[in-house]
Amino acid sequence: MNVTMIGSGYVGLVSGACFAEFGAHVTCLDVDKKKIADLNTGKIPIYEPGLENLVRENIRKGQLQFTDSYGDFIGQSDLVFIAVGTPSRHGDGHADLTYVYKAARELAKHLRGYTVVVDKSTVPIGTAKHVKRIIAEENPAADFDVASNPEFLREGAAISDFMRPDRVVIGVETERAAALLRELYRPLNLIETPIVTTGLESAELIKYAANAFLATKISFINEISMLCEAVGADVHAVAKGMGLDGRIGRKFLHVGPGYGGSCFPKDTKALVRIAQENGATIRIVESVIEVNEAQKARMINKIRNALGGSVTGKTLSVLGLTFKPETDDMRDAPALTILPKLLDNGAIIRAHDPKGMNEARTVLPETVRYFDDIYATLEQADAVIILTEWNAYRGLDLARIKKNMRGSVFLDLRNIYEPARMRELGFEYHCIGRL
Ligand code: UGA
């Protein structure tokens, strides 16, 4: 089976490499010539555990190749995936579909024989039908169907999420398209992965509804954590006690400084817009977005209060900048809201992140100072702030830190340490939703 994957960003690259691993012949296409030249030598533009090996291995086996030209392989493909970026459009929160439509227009010219054109990018409801119209306009003779096949990959765990998903969602208009997609996903059938086959609009909505629901769980527990602090409850116990109810589930009930990343912030906003445009209300998701912003603001207050009401002139050592561990992605990371505000208020910021510092340098104010060594970051600190729960921060030499820092405030915004133990060691320990 021949597959072209348009867009060699995060989703396109992971999906392309995994389909190649499943046995398809995959060509990943991107208009960025430099990226393609790098990929052809096995050089990966992002950090994702396991991806580089998978790409190299499949290039070696002849299953995977890269091109910057639409003319090369689309004509021989059974399936053409669109996996280009859909950033939030400035001003209105809507997903920007410029790249999706451009890809549709370009690919249309090269279709030969029956082909299924599949949207993998997260796109508003109705996009697949729009893509269908564009292709039919550009190439009235084309023999094709459109489909929607949203991805549910988490950064940092994308390969295993792809290889062992909870489900695969296929939105189609014809049985012929469904059969081709099921054939592509056959290796997952062997491990009894449920394949949900549905119409185009339902598949498109499933993706937004799933992400919005997960974001809701996070905002819910973040809000409950505030109540925990007020009444003296422990948010971990509350999350566990709730989550063990099979109808609720334990996952995504971990408190933090607010969700970030390339998906939840963008998709929740887009869903609100989609609802508004269709005359429907989706007040829960509107609140989820508000609560998430409030959570970041609450973290700034927490830091200020822990330092006696002002951060002016205080040295804050920040561990973790990316929106979550095991990624170098800084998109919508809470650090982007929290750190500039602290700098504005006169704080001095020393920062460390295992993978995100290069990216952080381009998006955080220039005054942030970066350190390759965790302990060098913490020297002379008035306060230590854990913003991302990288494994490297779970087993810190706490006695050494305590000795070398100036103050004793430890703000653990991911709740990875035990409050009693931290206080025993002499820290003024602050976390979220636990006393
Ligand atoms: C998310 C979804 O989990 C994937 O299923 C989906 O495919 C992807 O978006 C997407 O739409 O492409 P991702 O953004 O990589 O994946 O990261 P998550 O692991 O979901 O974490 C998102 C944010 O929520 C992070 O900032 C994380 O720290 C935060 N989070 C997560 C919490 O604060 N608490 C939790 O309990 C879980």
Side-chain angles (χ1 to χ4, degrees), residues 3 10 63 90 108 188 281 318 393 423:
V3 171
Y10 189 79
Q63 296 292 125
H90 281 303
L188 294 183
T281 53
V318 178
Y393 306 146
R423 288 180 189 128

PDB file of all heavy atoms in Angstrom, residues 3 10 63 90 108 188 281 318 393 423:
ATOM      1  N   VAL A   3       1.449   5.273   0.545  1.00  0.00           N
ATOM      2  CA  VAL A   3       0.881   6.374   1.325  1.00  0.00           C
ATOM      3  C   VAL A   3       1.747   7.621   1.137  1.00  0.00           C
ATOM      4  O   VAL A   3       2.972   7.534   1.218  1.00  0.00           O
ATOM      5  CB  VAL A   3       0.869   6.006   2.834  1.00  0.00           C
ATOM      6  CG1 VAL A   3       0.487   7.206   3.688  1.00  0.00           C
ATOM      7  CG2 VAL A   3      -0.074   4.842   3.102  1.00  0.00           C
ATOM      8  N   TYR A  10       5.122  17.299  13.508  1.00  0.00           N
ATOM      9  CA  TYR A  10       5.003  16.299  14.558  1.00  0.00           C
ATOM     10  C   TYR A  10       4.084  15.128  14.158  1.00  0.00           C
ATOM     11  O   TYR A  10       4.479  13.962  14.158  1.00  0.00           O
ATOM     12  CB  TYR A  10       4.444  17.020  15.791  1.00  0.00           C
ATOM     13  CG  TYR A  10       4.481  16.157  16.969  1.00  0.00           C
ATOM     14  CD1 TYR A  10       5.673  15.975  17.648  1.00  0.00           C
ATOM     15  CD2 TYR A  10       3.355  15.479  17.374  1.00  0.00           C
ATOM     16  CE1 TYR A  10       5.722  15.134  18.711  1.00  0.00           C
ATOM     17  CE2 TYR A  10       3.403  14.641  18.433  1.00  0.00           C
ATOM     18  CZ  TYR A  10       4.584  14.472  19.103  1.00  0.00           C
ATOM     19  OH  TYR A  10       4.637  13.621  20.141  1.00  0.00           O
ATOM     20  N   GLN A  63      11.178   1.562   3.363  1.00  0.00           N
ATOM     21  CA  GLN A  63       9.734   1.764   3.588  1.00  0.00           C
ATOM     22  C   GLN A  63       9.355   3.238   3.657  1.00  0.00           C
ATOM     23  O   GLN A  63       8.195   3.587   3.548  1.00  0.00           O
ATOM     24  CB  GLN A  63       9.315   1.112   4.918  1.00  0.00           C
ATOM     25  CG  GLN A  63       9.460  -0.371   4.994  1.00  0.00           C
ATOM     26  CD  GLN A  63       8.484  -1.086   4.083  1.00  0.00           C
ATOM     27  OE1 GLN A  63       8.889  -1.890   3.254  1.00  0.00           O
ATOM     28  NE2 GLN A  63       7.205  -0.798   4.184  1.00  0.00           N
ATOM     29  N   HIS A  90      -4.863  34.438  14.348  1.00  0.00           N
ATOM     30  CA  HIS A  90      -4.741  35.562  15.274  1.00  0.00           C
ATOM     31  C   HIS A  90      -6.079  36.250  15.457  1.00  0.00           C
ATOM     32  O   HIS A  90      -6.807  36.464  14.510  1.00  0.00           O
ATOM     33  CB  HIS A  90      -3.697  36.558  14.768  1.00  0.00           C
ATOM     34  CG  HIS A  90      -2.325  36.068  15.082  1.00  0.00           C
ATOM     35  ND1 HIS A  90      -1.918  35.774  16.362  1.00  0.00           N
ATOM     36  CD2 HIS A  90      -1.291  35.756  14.281  1.00  0.00           C
ATOM     37  CE1 HIS A  90      -0.687  35.325  16.337  1.00  0.00           C
ATOM     38  NE2 HIS A  90      -0.280  35.296  15.096  1.00  0.00           N
ATOM     39  N   ALA A 108      -4.390  17.815  -5.582  1.00  0.00           N
ATOM     40  CA  ALA A 108      -5.458  17.486  -6.546  1.00  0.00           C
ATOM     41  C   ALA A 108      -4.897  17.277  -7.948  1.00  0.00           C
ATOM     42  O   ALA A 108      -5.300  16.363  -8.664  1.00  0.00           O
ATOM     43  CB  ALA A 108      -6.496  18.609  -6.559  1.00  0.00           C
ATOM     44  N   LEU A 188      -3.210  -3.069  13.723  1.00  0.00           N
ATOM     45  CA  LEU A 188      -3.861  -2.732  14.997  1.00  0.00           C
ATOM     46  C   LEU A 188      -5.087  -3.600  15.229  1.00  0.00           C
ATOM     47  O   LEU A 188      -5.473  -3.872  16.370  1.00  0.00           O
ATOM     48  CB  LEU A 188      -4.250  -1.254  15.036  1.00  0.00           C
ATOM     49  CG  LEU A 188      -3.093  -0.275  15.026  1.00  0.00           C
ATOM     50  CD1 LEU A 188      -3.601   1.157  15.137  1.00  0.00           C
ATOM     51  CD2 LEU A 188      -2.130  -0.565  16.177  1.00  0.00           C
ATOM     52  N   THR A 281     -24.319  26.495  22.126  1.00  0.00           N
ATOM     53  CA  THR A 281     -23.480  27.010  23.208  1.00  0.00           C
ATOM     54  C   THR A 281     -22.660  25.863  23.765  1.00  0.00           C
ATOM     55  O   THR A 281     -23.077  24.713  23.727  1.00  0.00           O
ATOM     56  CB  THR A 281     -24.314  27.603  24.356  1.00  0.00           C
ATOM     57  OG1 THR A 281     -25.241  26.614  24.754  1.00  0.00           O
ATOM     58  CG2 THR A 281     -24.986  28.881  23.966  1.00  0.00           C
ATOM     59  N   VAL A 318      14.178  28.251  38.118  1.00  0.00           N
ATOM     60  CA  VAL A 318      13.027  27.542  37.556  1.00  0.00           C
ATOM     61  C   VAL A 318      13.488  26.244  36.914  1.00  0.00           C
ATOM     62  O   VAL A 318      14.354  26.240  36.031  1.00  0.00           O
ATOM     63  CB  VAL A 318      12.325  28.438  36.507  1.00  0.00           C
ATOM     64  CG1 VAL A 318      11.160  27.693  35.871  1.00  0.00           C
ATOM     65  CG2 VAL A 318      11.851  29.729  37.152  1.00  0.00           C
ATOM     66  N   TYR A 393      14.021  15.826  37.743  1.00  0.00           N
ATOM     67  CA  TYR A 393      13.745  16.650  38.930  1.00  0.00           C
ATOM     68  C   TYR A 393      13.114  15.838  40.065  1.00  0.00           C
ATOM     69  O   TYR A 393      12.817  16.374  41.116  1.00  0.00           O
ATOM     70  CB  TYR A 393      12.813  17.820  38.576  1.00  0.00           C
ATOM     71  CG  TYR A 393      13.298  18.678  37.422  1.00  0.00           C
ATOM     72  CD1 TYR A 393      12.395  19.262  36.538  1.00  0.00           C
ATOM     73  CD2 TYR A 393      14.660  18.910  37.222  1.00  0.00           C
ATOM     74  CE1 TYR A 393      12.831  20.047  35.480  1.00  0.00           C
ATOM     75  CE2 TYR A 393      15.105  19.691  36.160  1.00  0.00           C
ATOM     76  CZ  TYR A 393      14.191  20.250  35.305  1.00  0.00           C
ATOM     77  OH  TYR A 393      14.624  21.019  34.253  1.00  0.00           O
ATOM     78  N   ARG A 423       9.537  19.641  54.456  1.00  0.00           N
ATOM     79  CA  ARG A 423       9.602  20.544  55.629  1.00  0.00           C
ATOM     80  C   ARG A 423      10.651  20.049  56.612  1.00  0.00           C
ATOM     81  O   ARG A 423      11.375  20.855  57.206  1.00  0.00           O
ATOM     82  CB  ARG A 423       8.213  20.680  56.253  1.00  0.00           C
ATOM     83  CG  ARG A 423       7.343  21.524  55.339  1.00  0.00           C
ATOM     84  CD  ARG A 423       5.942  21.784  55.752  1.00  0.00           C
ATOM     85  NE  ARG A 423       5.287  22.415  54.609  1.00  0.00           N
ATOM     86  CZ  ARG A 423       4.147  22.015  54.060  1.00  0.00           C
ATOM     87  NH1 ARG A 423       3.480  21.001  54.571  1.00  0.00           N
ATOM     88  NH2 ARG A 423       3.657  22.636  53.007  1.00  0.00           N
TER      89      ARG A 423
END
